[in-house]
Amino acid sequence: WSVTMIISCVFYSTIIFRYFEKRRLFRTVKRGRSVDEIELYDRARMSLSLHGMCCVAWTGITFMYFITSAGHFFVPKSWTLFHDTAVTMIGECFMDLVAKILYMALILEAHVAAFDEAKRANRRLAELRNTMSVVWENSSDTIAISVRKASGNVSTMISPSFFQPALIARQEVNID
């Protein structure tokens, strides 16, 4: 039994070493600017968080198993909880419950970050707004946009390029 448990723990420890290696690699990744790059970064971050949570939860389950199954060897008889035959099952159930709560919190966060249509639409709209503002500010052509509001009033916006000839003429007058 002891040899089997030692071999199992050695094989299990690879998940912890892999987590630290992935965390080291993730720290070199830049968040990015476009919506696609940000989404990819967030998915990698959530994946790393889930991997870390697996390490914590499974390590906790393993330690709880060893404490509850072998703890009675190291504590006096007055500690009746460790000498109860059901303590291993109680410890396993407790750690299983804690792990499920932690997993559910991460899964909900990942779902909201990756699949919530409203958030994705807002990210895409923000990127479109940034792109259009660059076009709006730097276009050599005049752009005019008119919008009729619900009240019936019309609102019109004119790009800055419309005013550039007047500004250039004004600067030439100031120079003379």
Side-chain angles (χ1 to χ4, degrees):
W1 182 86
S2 300
V3 172
T4 303
M5 290 309 285
I6 290 170
I7 292 171
S8 297
C9 287
V10 167
F11 282 133
Y12 168 75
S13 67
T14 60
I15 191 172
I16 297 169
F17 294 121
R18 285 192 57 171
Y19 169 75
F20 283 109
E21 177 64 19
K22 286 184 178 188
R23 192 173 84 173
R24 184 187 63 76
L25 292 172
F26 180 75
R27 287 183 177 166
T28 63
V29 175
K30 302 232 186 285
R31 183 174 168 107
R33 290 189 173 167
S34 72
V35 172
D36 291 332
E37 290 171 343
I38 291 171
E39 283 183 4
L40 188 61
Y41 178 86
D42 285 342
R43 286 182 182 174
R45 181 182 55 82
M46 295 305 286
S47 174
L48 184 65
S49 296
L50 187 58
H51 190 153
M53 188 58 61
C54 284
C55 289
V56 169
W58 294 351
T59 301
I61 289 171
T62 303
F63 278 124
M64 185 62 78
Y65 173 77
F66 282 118
I67 290 169
T68 57
S69 64
H72 65 278
F73 292 124
F74 303 103
V75 296
K77 293 270 187 205
S78 61
W79 290 30
T80 56
L81 179 65
F82 281 101
H83 294 284
D84 187 353
T85 56
V87 74
T88 302
M89 181 57 107
I90 293 169
E92 292 286 323
C93 289
F94 174 76
M95 283 308 299
D96 189 45
L97 178 68
V98 169
K100 286 179 180 176
I101 290 170
L102 295 174
Y103 286 147
M104 184 54 69
L106 271 177
I107 289 170
L108 286 174
E109 185 181 347
H111 174 75
V112 168
F115 302 111
D116 185 27
E117 289 300 322
K119 282 195 172 198
R120 292 184 82 197
N122 284 337
R123 287 192 298 258
R124 298 253 183 231
L125 188 58
E127 184 175 27
L128 180 61
R129 188 178 301 123
N130 290 339
T131 302
M132 289 309 297
S133 69
V134 169
V135 169
W136 183 262
E137 296 291 328
N138 298 312
S139 175
S140 60
D141 295 330
T142 299
I143 301 173
I145 299 175
S146 296
V147 177
R148 182 179 303 273
K149 297 182 180 179
S151 64
N153 295 336
V154 176
S155 174
T156 302
M157 298 179 288
I158 300 174
S159 67
S161 65
F162 177 78
F163 301 105
Q164 284 179 348
L167 292 173
I168 291 170
R170 186 175 180 185
Q171 288 176 352
E172 289 175 357
V173 169
N174 287 341
I175 293 173
D176 295 334

